[in-house]
Amino acid sequence: MCHMPSINTKLNFLLTLLHQTSFMKNQVESKIISIQKIFPTERVTSISTSLRHSLLLTSFGYIYSCGDSSDGQLGHGSLSGCRAFRVIEWFLQRKIAIVDISAGSDEVRSHSAAISKEGELFTWGYTALCGHSEHEYSLDLPELSQTSNKSSIVFPKLVESFENEKILRVSCGGSFTLAITQHWEAYEEKRTLWSWGCISNGRLGIGRFEISRRSYQKSPTRLVSLDGYFIVDVSSGSSHALALDRDGKVFAWGNNEAGQCSFDFNKFGENVLPQQMNRSIWDDVYVPHQVLVPIPAVSVAAGSHSSAVIDLVGRLWTWGRNSKPCLHQSTSCHVNSILSGFMRLPRYATPRIARPLKHLLIKKVCLGDGSGLAITNDGQIYCWCNVDSAALPSQPSPDKFPSLVGKRIIDADIAGNHLIVQEEPSVKENIGSKLFQQINRHEKLYIQNGGDLSVPTFFDCAVIVGKHRLCCHKAILKCRCPVFEKIISAHKTSHLEVLITDANVHTV
C-alpha cells in the first residue's frame, strides 16, 4: 500500500515540563507533544523516560527519542541533543520492529535499550553500560575522560551475548541494565536474569567486589541466586533493583541506605549469610533476597530511594525513604532517620500499604527521585512529590494532576525533572488503527493469491501527487486528515480520485 507523506500530528499523550523557576512558584506547564510521525495512524504504546532523555514506542514498532545525547543515548548517530521527538532511523532502515524499550540515566552516564520482535536486544549510549565486548559505531571522548575506555555508542547495536536465548524484558537504571531471557530445556520454559554495568552498591546482584566505586561489569552476567525462579518482571532504580516471579514473590538488591531493599537481618535467623550477621539493615544488599510482602505481587517499581509493588487485589505497597514517595502515615514499622540535605527523612525497611491510596485499585506505579505517580484501573492518575524535588509541585499527599483531571490515562513514566503520561485515544482513532491493521492483512492475502496492488480495483480511492498516482482507501484517509474527511464525505461515489497540487486539494 502506498502511504501519504508524513504529517506533523499530535500524539495522544501529554508531556509535563517542570522547570525549577516555575516549580518555586508552584506552577507547572503542561503541553501536548507534537512529533513528525512516519505513519499518521501509528499510536504510542510504551513510554520510558530517564533523568536526561526519553523514548517512545509506537504501534508500528518504531522508536522516537529526544533529550540530551551526550553519551549517544538518543541513537541518532551523534552526540547532539534533540528538543523534539525524532524517529531512530537505524531500526527503520533495517526494518526491525521493536516491542519493548527502556531509558536509563544517572548524574554521570546514560544509555538506552530495545527488544526486537524476534527477541534480540539492542543497546546504545555509554559503552560500559551496553553489554558489548566490541564497540562498533562508537565515538571516543578523550576530552571528557582521563581513561581510554569511555566512549559512546551512537547507533543501536545488537548484544551478541544471548545467541541461544530470547530476550523478554529489559530495564535500564542508574548506570546498569537488567534483562530477562527465555530458553527451553526438555520442553520446559526457563527464565534467566542478567545484569551488567556499574558494580557499586551491589546493584548488579552478583556479589560484593572490593573495587573502585565506578567500576563496570561490561558483559552480561547471570544472577545465579535467581536461577530456580521463573522471573516475569524487573525494575531498575537509581542504584537498586526489584524482580518479580510468577508466584508473586518479590526480590530486591543494591543500595539500601533508605531501606529500599527491605532487608531486615533480624527476621532471617539461620538464613543470613555468616558475613552478614553483624551488618546493619541499612547496609547495601549484594545478592537478591526475598522481600516479605504479605500478598503476592503483580507489578514492581524501583525509584531513587524507595520501592513499590502492586498486589493481586490492586493495592499499592511501598517502602524506603518516607518522603512522599513512600506514602506512609504511620510509624509503627521499623523506622529510623537519616540526614538528606537539610531535612531528616524517616526510612522504612518493611513494606506497608500506601494509606492515602488504599481504597483505590492501582494498575501501574512509577517512582522517580523524590516523586511518584500511580494510575488507577479507571484511568485516573495520582501524583506526589517531596518538597525538595523539581519533578512535581510539592503535594503533601497523592492528588490528581490539575491539567489531567477528566482525562483517561493508560500509561505514564516519571524521571527527575519531568513526566510523560499517555491519554487514551479517541474512539475514532481506535477505529482508524483497527481498519489500517485489517487492510494490511487483506493486502498480504491479496498478494499471496497473485493480486497486483497497482491495479486500482483493490482500492476505492486514488491520490494524485505530481506525476504519481497513489492507490489508497477512503476509510483510512478520513481518519488521517480532516481535509480528506470533508472531501470524501461530500462525494458519495464508489471510487474517488483526489488531486494534490502546491495550491490546493480537490477532486478530479
Side-chain angles (χ1 to χ4, degrees):
M1 177 180 177
C2 297
H3 297 283
M4 293 293 296
S6 60
I7 352 177
N8 190 6
T9 311
K10 292 182 178 179
L11 287 179
N12 299 304
F13 60 92
L14 300 171
L15 171 66
T16 302
L17 298 176
L18 306 145
H19 306 284
Q20 186 65 28
T21 53
S22 62
F23 164 73
M24 295 301 292
K25 299 177 182 178
N26 281 334
Q27 296 176 350
V28 178
E29 175 192 357
S30 63
K31 69 176 183 180
I32 298 178
I33 299 177
S34 295
I35 75 170
Q36 192 79 11
K37 294 193 293 184
I38 301 301
F39 296 102
T41 54
E42 64 180 323
R43 295 185 294 107
V44 173
T45 57
S46 182
I47 302 169
S48 183
T49 186
S50 76
L51 290 172
R52 300 163 64 186
H53 71 298
S54 299
L55 303 176
L56 303 175
L57 177 64
T58 69
S59 54
F60 282 65
Y62 301 144
I63 304 177
Y64 294 80
S65 62
C66 80
D68 173 67
S69 190
S70 55
D71 290 319
Q73 65 265 31
L74 296 189
H76 295 158
S78 73
L79 304 182
S80 301
C82 186
R83 289 180 173 270
F85 279 98
R86 173 185 164 193
V87 70
I88 299 181
E89 296 180 0
W90 191 91
F91 291 112
L92 196 64
Q93 294 167 354
R94 291 158 178 77
K95 299 181 180 180
I96 299 175
I98 301 301
V99 296
D100 190 21
I101 55 174
S102 184
S105 294
D106 58 13
E107 294 79 4
V108 182
R109 296 298 178 189
S110 303
H111 65 300
S112 304
I115 301 174
S116 71
K117 189 176 180 181
E118 290 73 26
E120 296 177 316
L121 178 64
F122 298 86
T123 59
W124 60 99
Y126 186 53
T127 302
L129 309 178
C130 292
H132 305 301
S133 56
E134 297 179 359
H135 309 310
E136 185 182 0
Y137 302 128
S138 65
L139 296 180
D140 291 326
L141 306 174
E143 70 278 9
L144 297 180
S145 65
Q146 297 178 352
T147 58
S148 60
N149 67 333
K150 292 187 178 180
S151 60
S152 295
I153 299 176
V154 296
F155 288 112
K157 178 173 169 53
L158 175 67
V159 179
E160 299 178 351
S161 301
F162 308 106
E163 293 182 357
N164 299 320
E165 302 204 38
K166 181 179 181 180
I167 311 297
L168 300 180
R169 180 84 168 87
V170 65
S171 178
C172 298
S175 288
F176 74 109
T177 309
L178 300 172
I180 303 173
T181 63
Q182 174 197 58
H183 67 278
W184 296 84
E185 293 181 4
Y187 302 101
E188 182 180 1
E189 182 182 359
K190 299 288 186 179
R191 298 283 179 93
T192 305
L193 184 59
W194 303 78
S195 66
W196 61 93
C198 183
I199 299 178
S200 65
N201 302 111
R203 68 190 75 183
L204 298 189
I206 56 177
R208 185 171 186 174
F209 299 87
E210 298 297 335
I211 52 178
S212 62
R213 184 176 180 273
R214 297 299 297 187
S215 297
Y216 296 90
Q217 171 65 39
K218 296 184 179 180
S219 59
T221 304
R222 192 172 90 253
L223 276 72
V224 294
S225 59
L226 293 179
D227 277 353
Y229 297 93
F230 195 92
I231 304 299
V232 296
D233 194 14
V234 67
S235 177
S236 303
S238 296
S239 54
H240 79 290
L242 301 177
L244 175 70
D245 80 347
R246 64 180 170 187
D247 297 324
K249 296 177 183 177
V250 178
F251 302 89
W253 63 94
N255 188 345
N256 192 43
E257 65 176 356
Q260 62 264 44
C261 289
S262 185
F263 200 100
D264 191 342
F265 294 91
N266 299 324
K267 294 182 179 180
F268 286 82
E270 297 178 355
N271 294 327
V272 180
L273 299 177
Q275 60 268 32
Q276 298 173 332
M277 289 296 292
N278 297 321
R279 296 179 59 206
S280 165
I281 67 169
W282 312 115
D283 289 345
D284 294 340
V285 179
Y286 295 95
V287 292
H289 79 97
Q290 186 176 346
V291 178
L292 302 180
V293 181
I295 300 177
V298 296
S299 180
V300 294
S304 178
H305 291 87
S306 56
S307 303
V309 301
I310 301 173
D311 67 21
L312 279 173
V313 295
R315 290 182 299 184
L316 179 63
W317 297 72
T318 62
W319 64 96
R321 182 165 295 171
N322 191 28
S323 175
K324 275 48 173 210
C326 205
L327 301 182
H328 293 151
Q329 293 182 348
S330 171
T331 58
S332 59
C333 59
H334 199 320
V335 61
N336 194 2
S337 293
I338 58 175
L339 189 64
S340 176
F342 295 99
M343 299 181 58
R344 296 187 66 83
L345 301 175
R347 51 185 179 174
Y348 293 79
T350 305
R352 302 279 292 180
I353 291 179
R355 290 176 176 270
L357 301 175
K358 65 180 181 179
H359 299 299
L360 300 174
L361 297 180
I362 307 299
K363 71 174 183 179
K364 181 170 183 178
V365 60
C366 299
L367 299 177
D369 185 7
S371 57
L373 60 85
I375 303 176
T376 63
N377 281 355
D378 60 356
Q380 300 301 306
I381 184 170
Y382 290 81
C383 304
W384 58 93
C385 179
N386 183 11
V387 294
D388 61 352
S389 170
L392 292 167
S394 177
Q395 297 180 173
S397 62
D399 198 1
K400 294 181 180 180
F401 201 80
S403 61
L404 302 180
V405 174
K407 300 181 182 297
R408 187 178 178 88
I409 305 303
I410 59 176
D411 196 11
D413 199 9
I414 190 168
N417 61 353
H418 63 287
L419 66 90
I420 299 178
V421 298
Q422 182 184 1
E423 182 184 356
E424 185 179 49
S426 64
V427 175
K428 180 178 178 180
E429 289 158 348
N430 274 327
I431 292 174
S433 178
K434 291 177 181 178
L435 280 173
F436 186 83
Q437 294 174 3
Q438 290 175 0
I439 291 174
N440 273 344
R441 287 196 295 268
H442 287 309
E443 286 180 356
K444 291 178 181 178
L445 291 174
Y446 188 74
I447 294 174
Q448 290 174 359
N449 294 330
D452 185 0
L453 291 182
S454 63
V455 179
T457 53
F458 181 71
F459 302 91
D460 57 7
C461 181
V463 177
I464 303 172
V465 184
K467 298 180 179 179
H468 301 282
R469 188 172 185 274
L470 310 177
C471 298
C472 308
H473 302 271
K474 289 190 288 185
I476 296 297
L477 290 181
K478 287 179 67 175
C479 295
R480 286 181 176 177
C481 178
V483 176
F484 282 123
E485 183 179 10
K486 291 181 181 179
I487 293 177
I488 293 171
S489 299
H491 297 77
K492 303 296 183 180
T493 57
S494 58
H495 188 81
L496 178 66
E497 292 192 352
V498 181
L499 177 64
I500 300 180
T501 64
D502 292 337
N504 200 0
V505 178
H506 55 85
T507 59
V508 179

